[in-house]
Amino acid sequence: MNIAIFSDAYIPIKNGVTTSVAQLKAGLEKRGHNVIVITVDVPDYEEKDPNVYRLPSINASFGSGTDARLGFLFNYLPIIRFLKKKKIDIIHTHTEFTIALYGKRAAKKLKLPLVQSTHTMWEEYRHYILNGKIFTRGMVRKMMSTFMKNAYCLVCPSIKAEKYYKGLLPNISTVVINNGIDVDKFKSSTITENEIVSMRKTFDFKKNEKILLFVGRIGNEKRVLELFSIVVPILKENAQIKMIFVGAGPLVDHIADSAKRLGIEKQVVFTGFVNWDLVYRLYSISDLFVTASLSEVQPMTLIEASMCGMPIIVRRDDSYLDLVHDGKNGYIVDSDEEMAAKIRSLIYDDEKLKEFSEYSLKNSSKFTAENHVIRMEKFYQEVLKTYPNKFDCQSFMEKN
């Protein structure tokens, strides 16, 4: 197959969408398919892949602490010529901004099936535009339903995403294809016990101290202020419990100042953005992954945590259903108060931590990049067989 992926996020931009697109491209190419990516240019980045077509772009982080960019184009006919030259069979859009709009236009012009992946719950990010004073939830939903109404089929990473978009677009077929992580790249080298001890020393963690870990954007949509409020009493009660916040975002300074004011600054570590090899090591030196976020679709960070055998505590949300099995590899809780109670009960229960760790590692085998690529390949093949007739998502899900 000849597949065109349109995405406003791609290498070297660092986020979950980039990871998903890059892994999908590499995996499909490994299986003998031709994949091109239409995406944004990035200052000072030299593209060497002839199958990546970059368009001019501007910074569009809007204070989110990310390196998001927005592509623009006055004449999209060169893209059409490029797609024709590559004899594209199917177009797959992964974002909801300008690059994806070009993908929609190209699919219509070339009469090709257009499928759309739904990576982000945009309702939870509207506060980045003038502090949320412009867009209401209803407005965001209307924008998303308008944007996606011409898609042939939606690819949803989780049950949560499928429920959401079925509500918005009941007449469009949806399939659930879980995200995946390239295990070999993520765990490129096995971390030894000596390395774990050495890395803990880097952060001044003692042998008998317990480490709570959060990985993600340090922003309101991740409920990091609520998470900090949950762990503050736990840290104040026991100086041998530490908390690591891994990631960048607009609330880092606020939380750091609060930790200092409360006298627990030595127990709270902020790493900023870190590369994958270091993230793997941070998972490996920690004891318990915690997140209070309710804005996820299916977070890559929880897949990573599972692949590192981490017990996990999350707030109840459909995005976590496949990743956290309550009482087996962690807990799904109904309130912030219950989260605090579960952290207290679990953090020093070494037997249960070990039991949960083993289950997490076992469960993570379902979320490999290879499994994701195989299911996407089958999905593309089924779309090409069915288009332009209505896609039978139930039949596909039952067979795959």
Side-chain angles (χ1 to χ4, degrees):
M1 289 180 290
N2 297 319
I3 302 147
I5 293 176
F6 283 70
S7 176
D8 295 84
Y10 191 60
I11 300 168
I13 292 170
K14 298 176 175 67
N15 59 34
V17 177
T18 294
T19 300
S20 182
V21 171
Q23 288 181 163
L24 181 59
K25 182 178 188 294
L28 288 167
E29 288 174 340
K30 191 175 179 180
R31 295 179 68 82
H33 303 289
N34 299 312
V35 183
I36 70 162
V37 174
I38 311 294
T39 189
V40 295
D41 67 359
V42 176
D44 303 319
Y45 181 79
E46 182 182 353
E47 184 55 68
K48 296 180 180 179
D49 186 343
N51 283 332
V52 176
Y53 190 106
R54 293 188 180 269
L55 299 171
S57 68
I58 57 173
N59 182 285
S61 62
F62 300 114
S64 64
T66 67
D67 52 355
R69 301 193 68 79
L70 193 65
F72 60 91
L73 185 66
F74 297 107
N75 180 10
Y76 83 109
L77 292 180
I79 295 178
I80 300 299
R81 289 194 289 269
F82 184 72
L83 297 176
K84 284 181 176 178
K85 181 181 177 183
K86 297 293 183 177
K87 298 180 179 178
I88 295 303
D89 301 308
I90 186 170
I91 289 177
H92 188 172
T93 51
H94 280 259
T95 47
E96 296 82 10
F97 299 104
T98 50
I99 298 297
L101 282 171
Y102 300 143
K104 288 179 65 176
R105 291 179 69 184
K108 185 176 181 180
K109 177 78 174 175
L110 298 173
K111 296 181 172 58
L112 296 175
L114 170 73
V115 298
Q116 166 84 34
S117 277
T118 59
H119 293 284
T120 308
M121 300 298 291
W122 287 112
E123 284 186 43
E124 307 301 335
Y125 288 75
R126 68 192 192 283
H127 56 274
Y128 285 120
I129 308 296
L130 292 179
N131 295 317
K133 293 177 181 177
I134 293 181
F135 299 118
T136 64
R137 287 186 181 275
M139 289 170 68
V140 175
R141 289 173 187 170
K142 180 64 177 175
M143 290 165 68
M144 288 300 100
S145 60
T146 300
F147 181 89
M148 295 180 180
K149 67 180 180 181
N150 295 321
Y152 177 65
C153 188
L154 299 181
V155 181
C156 302
S158 65
I159 295 167
K160 176 182 178 177
E162 185 187 39
K163 284 181 180 177
Y164 180 82
Y165 283 102
K166 268 188 173 180
L168 285 184
L169 299 155
N171 296 320
I172 294 182
S173 299
T174 58
V175 297
V176 177
I177 299 179
N178 294 134
N179 286 325
I181 294 289
D182 187 325
V183 185
D184 293 334
K185 283 186 178 179
F186 179 53
K187 300 168 77 169
S188 56
S189 61
T190 304
I191 186 168
T192 65
E193 284 298 323
N194 286 338
E195 287 175 320
I196 289 174
V197 171
S198 175
M199 190 159 186
R200 286 175 70 100
K201 282 182 179 177
T202 300
F203 292 101
D204 198 27
F205 296 152
K206 307 295 188 296
K207 185 178 180 180
N208 60 338
E209 290 179 337
K210 296 292 184 177
I211 312 302
L212 306 175
L213 178 73
F214 168 82
V215 181
R217 188 181 300 104
I218 314 299
N220 279 319
E221 69 282 359
K222 303 293 184 182
R223 297 188 76 241
V224 289
L225 294 180
E226 289 82 356
L227 179 61
F228 180 68
S229 295
I230 289 167
V231 302
V232 163
I234 298 170
L235 300 182
K236 294 184 83 170
E237 290 164 9
N238 192 335
Q240 291 188 322
I241 300 177
K242 304 291 178 69
M243 175 82 209
I244 306 177
F245 286 93
V246 179
L251 295 178
V252 171
D253 290 343
H254 177 80
I255 298 174
D257 290 342
S258 297
K260 188 173 183 179
R261 189 180 69 254
L262 294 165
I264 55 172
E265 68 270 23
K266 291 184 178 179
Q267 291 171 261
V268 184
V269 174
F270 300 90
T271 68
F273 178 84
V274 295
N275 289 323
W276 244 21
D277 55 343
L278 180 55
V279 171
Y280 163 51
R281 281 159 168 70
L282 289 167
Y283 285 119
S284 300
I285 69 168
S286 303
D287 299 287
L288 179 59
F289 188 98
V290 291
T291 176
S293 176
L294 299 172
S295 66
E296 309 298 337
V297 173
Q298 187 178 63
M300 292 288 199
T301 54
L302 258 72
I303 298 176
E304 294 168 355
S306 298
M307 285 182 171
C308 293
M310 287 201 74
I312 301 165
I313 299 180
V314 298
R315 279 291 306 271
R316 188 173 301 281
D317 189 82
D318 284 350
S319 63
Y320 304 128
L321 288 179
D322 294 327
L323 290 161
V324 183
H325 297 178
D326 195 44
K328 293 184 176 180
N329 67 330
Y331 295 114
I332 301 174
V333 301
D334 292 308
S335 67
D336 293 351
E337 292 74 21
E338 188 183 355
M339 176 171 280
K342 288 298 186 184
I343 292 172
R344 285 187 175 95
S345 70
L346 183 58
I347 194 63
Y348 274 107
D349 189 337
D350 290 338
E351 186 177 335
K352 189 156 280 187
L353 284 171
K354 184 181 179 186
E355 177 189 325
F356 284 4
S357 173
E358 290 170 354
Y359 191 98
S360 259
L361 196 57
K362 181 181 176 182
N363 189 52
S364 72
S365 63
K366 297 184 293 186
F367 299 95
T368 64
E370 184 180 10
N371 286 344
H372 177 77
V373 168
I374 289 171
R375 292 198 71 205
M376 286 302 309
E377 178 187 51
K378 290 177 179 178
F379 170 67
Y380 290 149
Q381 289 167 341
E382 195 67 28
V383 165
L384 291 175
K385 231 191 298 184
T386 308
Y387 183 80
N389 297 319
K390 188 172 177 63
F391 187 80
D392 188 345
C393 50
Q394 185 173 346
S395 174
F396 174 79
M397 294 298 291
E398 287 172 355
K399 289 188 292 185
N400 299 282

